[in-house]
């Protein structure tokens, strides 16, 4: 058996097309949703992400505000910028591109973002809302994208045993909360978990977000299980570099029911949900019903 490949690129494109229509409808209230992105320093990968985010924001009919700051910017300057964006009526979403330089206290900065504009979903208020099932939560984009991809294959995940590899605040923990919200029985594994392979063999759903190249092997996967590969790892191979996920794709394809590729799986969904969160923030700020 060869697994069905979940085409995140196509699903994200469909989501953005739907979103564009919703943005147009929202425009009848007299407002255009706006997303502000703050980029510090010259990290080439971050610059690529920020460009893609800005382009897709505009393509979806929303306003994009970019703030590029030099590597040497101070914490105070960044805090002041965030406060200005918090007070700017035209800005519905604020995204601070990570990673930040080591002299910046990222936790303090992210906590300074108005939770109503926290489209990355990293603010403790939004983490709390997600944990308590409050529908106003702006939840992290990558986990939202993972749930969407899973539901594209299996709309009702009730009762499934889901194993999440990774417990970061950005991916693993919020993903576990979202899976609970879908009535899964959730196990969170991390670097200190014993017998991860055996644990995965009991899973109906495996989401790999450990940042370990091709860690999940074919014989870890129950036949027919759904496998979502969040990992993005750049490894040296065949005299060059290539991107691989946390899942040994070819091996797992032979056993899984469905699997996401890397690239072209979870990655494109992350930006689509950033735009979705920006519209949700705009609607909530203007008192319209949640999308
Ligand atoms: P972190 O490094 O913050 O977290 C990694 C997690 O994996 C930790 O909880 C760690 O455990 C766990 N882990 C590490 N090694 C192992 C192991 N051998 N066995 C089991 N668990 C392990 O990473 P992120 O959560 O930020 O990202 C995870 C991956 O997803 C990365 O490859 C990243 O590039 C990718 N990513 C992709 C995105 C996308 O849009 N596609 C978006 C965000 C991330 P412990 O807590 O014990 O240290």
């Amino acid at each position: 058996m060869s697994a069905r490949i979940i085409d995140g690129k196509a699903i994200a494109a469909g989501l953005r097309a739907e979103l564009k229509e919703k943005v147009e409808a929202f425009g009848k209230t007299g407002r255009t949703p706006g997303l502000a992105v703050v980029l510090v320093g010259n990290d080439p990968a971050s610059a690529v992400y920020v460009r893609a985010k800005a382009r897709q924001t505009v393509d979806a009919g929303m306003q994009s505000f970019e703030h590029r700051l030099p590597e040497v910017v101070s914490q105070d300057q960044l805090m002041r910028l965030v406060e200005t964006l918090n007070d700017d009526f035209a800005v519905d979403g604020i995204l601070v591109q990570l990673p930040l330089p080591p002299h910046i206290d990222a936790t303090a900065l992210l906590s300074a973002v108005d939770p109503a504009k926290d489209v990355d979903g990293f603010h403790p208020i939004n983490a709390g809302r997600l944990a308590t099932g409050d529908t106003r939560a702006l939840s992290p984009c990558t986990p939202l994208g993972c749930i969407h991809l899973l539901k594209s294959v299996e709309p009702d995940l009730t009762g499934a045993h889901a194993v999440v590899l990774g417990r970061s605040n950005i991916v693993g923990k919020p993903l576990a909360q979202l899976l609970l919200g879908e009535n899964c029985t959730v196990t969170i594994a991390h670097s200190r978990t014993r017998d991860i392979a055996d644990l995965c063999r009991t899973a109906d759903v495996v989401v790999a977000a450990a940042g370990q190249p091709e860690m999940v092997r074919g014989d870890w996967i129950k036949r027919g299980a759904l496998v979502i590969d969040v990992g993005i790892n750049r490894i040296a191979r065949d005299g060059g570099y290539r991107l691989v996920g946390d899942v040994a794709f070819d091996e797992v394809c032979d056993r899984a029911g469905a699997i996401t590729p890397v690239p072209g799986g979870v990655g494109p969904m992350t930006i689509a949900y950033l735009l979705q969160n920006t519209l949700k923030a705009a609607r909530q700020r203007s008192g319209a019903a949640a999308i």
Side-chain angles (χ1 to χ4, degrees), residues 183-202:
N183 302 316
C184 292
T185 303
V186 183
T187 306
I188 306 176
H190 46 78
S191 67
R192 313 293 178 88
T193 300
R194 285 194 290 267
D195 304 326
I196 285 198
D198 280 345
L199 193 61
C200 286
R201 284 184 197 110
T202 68

Side-chain angles (χ1 to χ4, degrees), residues 4-271:
R4 169 175 164 188
I5 310 296
I6 306 173
D7 186 348
K9 213 170 154 185
I11 294 171
L15 198 59
R16 290 199 307 272
E18 277 174 31
L19 187 78
K20 194 170 177 168
E21 288 177 15
K22 289 182 189 165
V23 169
E24 266 170 36
F26 179 78
K28 297 195 178 108
T29 65
R31 288 203 55 232
T32 305
L35 172 64
V37 179
V38 177
L39 174 62
V40 179
N42 300 311
D43 177 48
S46 293
V48 170
Y49 288 137
V50 165
R51 263 201 305 278
K53 285 169 186 171
R55 193 187 61 242
Q56 293 187 25
T57 302
V58 172
D59 286 351
M62 304 199 269
Q63 279 185 286
S64 168
F65 310 102
E66 262 181 76
H67 296 267
R68 289 170 180 265
L69 297 136
E71 184 89 22
V72 293
V73 69
S74 70
Q75 182 87 24
D76 276 357
Q77 283 171 301
L78 279 174
M79 294 296 260
R80 276 200 300 276
L81 172 59
V82 165
E83 278 161 25
T84 306
L85 297 173
N86 283 344
D87 292 342
D88 187 339
F89 183 70
V91 172
D92 295 292
I94 301 170
L95 179 146
V96 179
Q97 182 67 43
L98 301 177
L100 290 161
H103 68 280
I104 299 297
D105 179 347
T107 305
L109 189 66
L110 296 179
S111 296
V113 172
D114 179 348
K117 299 186 175 188
D118 168 40
V119 284
D120 252 341
F122 297 160
H123 193 286
I125 293 270
N126 280 313
R129 283 181 176 159
L130 172 60
T132 54
D134 184 331
T135 54
R136 290 171 301 170
L138 291 168
S139 301
C141 304
T142 300
L144 285 171
C146 293
I147 297 291
H148 189 118
L149 293 177
L150 282 169
K151 291 182 82 170
S152 74
V153 181
E154 180 50 69
D156 185 4
L157 296 165
T158 297
H161 178 211
V163 171
V164 178
L165 303 179
R167 58 173 163 179
S168 72
N169 291 332
I170 293 174
V171 188
K173 279 186 205 152
L175 183 57
Q177 297 286 359
L178 290 170
L179 287 163
L180 265 184
E182 296 296 330
N183 302 316
C184 292
T185 303
V186 183
T187 306
I188 306 176
H190 46 78
S191 67
R192 313 293 178 88
T193 300
R194 285 194 290 267
D195 304 326
I196 285 198
D198 280 345
L199 193 61
C200 286
R201 284 184 197 110
T202 68
D204 306 301
V205 170
V206 175
V207 186
Q212 301 295 319
E214 300 177 330
M215 167 184 150
V216 177
R217 311 308 308 189
D219 66 356
W220 292 25
I221 299 298
K222 183 162 88 177
R223 286 212 179 275
L226 310 184
V227 179
I228 303 290
D229 191 351
V230 182
I232 303 175
N233 310 288
R234 191 164 174 266
I235 60 160
R237 185 169 287 170
D238 303 331
Y241 287 93
R242 57 172 295 214
L243 282 187
V244 298
D246 287 356
V247 175
F249 185 82
D250 292 341
E251 283 179 24
V252 170
C253 259
D254 288 341
R255 296 177 70 98
I259 183 171
T260 57
V262 175
V266 174
M269 297 299 287
T270 298
I271 302 188

